[in-house]
Amino acid sequence: MALASTIGERVAMLRARVDRVAEAAGRSAGSVAILGVTKTQPRDAVLAAIAAGLSDVGENYLQEAREKYVDLPAVHRHFIGHVQTNKAKAIVGLFDVVQSIDRLEAGLAIEKAARALGRGVRVLVQVNVSPTERFGVAPAGAAHLAEQLRSEGLTVDGVMAIGPLEGDVDHAFETAREAFAAVGGTTLSLGMSADWERAVHFGSTMIRIGTAIFGARPVQERVTA
Ligand SMILES: *Cc1c(COP(=O)(O)O)cnc(C)c1O
């Protein structure tokens, strides 16, 4: 792969590669959205990625988004970190989609905050498909959680999952695909810089990409969704 030096070039190259992989998997070009994961990156980097055509950006950490995600151009802002119920109002105030609802309590807090702020918010059910991952509802409980969330008035639009760092990636992704089929909706948020190609083969409609767009993060930290 040629070295791409700017965020804009990396986004364009990735877009082309994602479309090729989608077509190789028998899917249409453009059927997989790229969510730019901006944790630890400065606001300028977020703006550069948006200028390069990304219409979805995401953050794990509320505190970072407070500085970076105000007054962005018209894009969808996704919260992909662990939902603390006492932060629900701030999350709803800053984000359009909450991808990481993994228990009823979190969904109820988000719904209540959305109602108080008069804002619509879409959510995904985070499903745990990996022994190395701390959060997420067990796959067998995903459909029931989605049903409970919908009966509370939330718009549940699909599933988010984080693949294993090592081990049987295909098995994990197949589990995520099955959970998505059970939950319903339009979004299967699956795949990161290291494993997005497999995720596209397993039906991902949204890959979450940090490193491959923005470069290595300054400090090595664990994924904490
Ligand atoms: C950091 C993070 C990503 C992006 O990871 P990269 O390997 O840098 O692409 C995607 N999803 C979640 C939940 C993350 O925390």
Side-chain angles (χ1 to χ4, degrees):
M1 192 176 83
L3 253 188
S5 53
T6 70
I7 289 170
E9 285 166 351
R10 287 186 194 129
V11 168
M13 258 175 51
L14 182 64
R15 184 69 262 167
R17 280 184 64 206
V18 170
D19 286 345
R20 277 200 307 275
V21 171
E23 285 177 333
R27 307 177 55 193
S28 56
S31 62
V32 182
I34 299 170
L35 166 62
V37 176
T38 61
K39 63 184 172 204
T40 77
Q41 303 299 334
R43 181 176 161 89
D44 281 354
V46 182
L47 294 174
I50 293 169
L54 286 195
S55 51
D56 295 275
V57 293
E59 272 288 337
N60 306 59
Y61 308 116
L62 186 62
Q63 201 52 43
E64 284 194 43
R66 283 204 166 103
E67 293 149 32
K68 285 188 269 178
Y69 276 22
V70 286
D71 298 327
L72 288 184
V75 292
H76 299 118
R77 297 160 300 175
H78 300 250
F79 186 68
I80 59 174
H82 184 62
V83 175
Q84 293 175 268
T85 52
N86 63 342
K87 303 281 169 59
K89 241 186 175 158
I91 292 171
V92 170
L94 273 173
F95 295 91
D96 307 293
V97 183
V98 181
Q99 294 206 354
S100 40
I101 300 294
D102 63 355
R103 61 203 193 286
L104 182 59
E105 185 196 22
L108 292 179
I110 292 296
E111 195 278 329
K112 190 172 158 207
R115 204 152 19 89
L117 296 172
R119 272 180 60 88
V121 62
R122 270 189 300 141
V123 304
L124 304 182
V125 169
Q126 182 177 352
V127 179
N128 189 317
V129 298
S130 159
T132 51
E133 189 48 41
R134 270 199 298 160
F135 300 116
V137 65
H144 180 61
L145 177 58
E147 193 182 312
Q148 288 179 305
L149 296 169
R150 286 181 178 126
S151 75
E152 295 292 338
L154 278 166
T155 302
V156 180
D157 193 37
V159 159
M160 184 271 262
I162 298 172
L165 298 174
E166 52 193 36
D168 196 343
V169 173
D170 282 11
H171 175 71
F173 284 0
E174 178 57 27
T175 304
R177 169 159 66 185
E178 286 165 8
F180 177 48
V183 164
T186 67
T187 305
L188 174 56
S189 171
L190 188 69
M192 309 181 8
S193 292
D195 58 15
W196 66 263
E197 297 203 20
R198 288 311 293 157
V200 168
H201 279 275
F202 281 88
S204 172
T205 69
M206 177 172 283
I207 57 175
R208 305 181 307 269
I209 305 296
T211 316
I213 292 174
F214 300 105
R217 285 180 284 275
V219 186
Q220 197 60 36
E221 28 69 74
R222 274 184 50 77
V223 170
T224 55

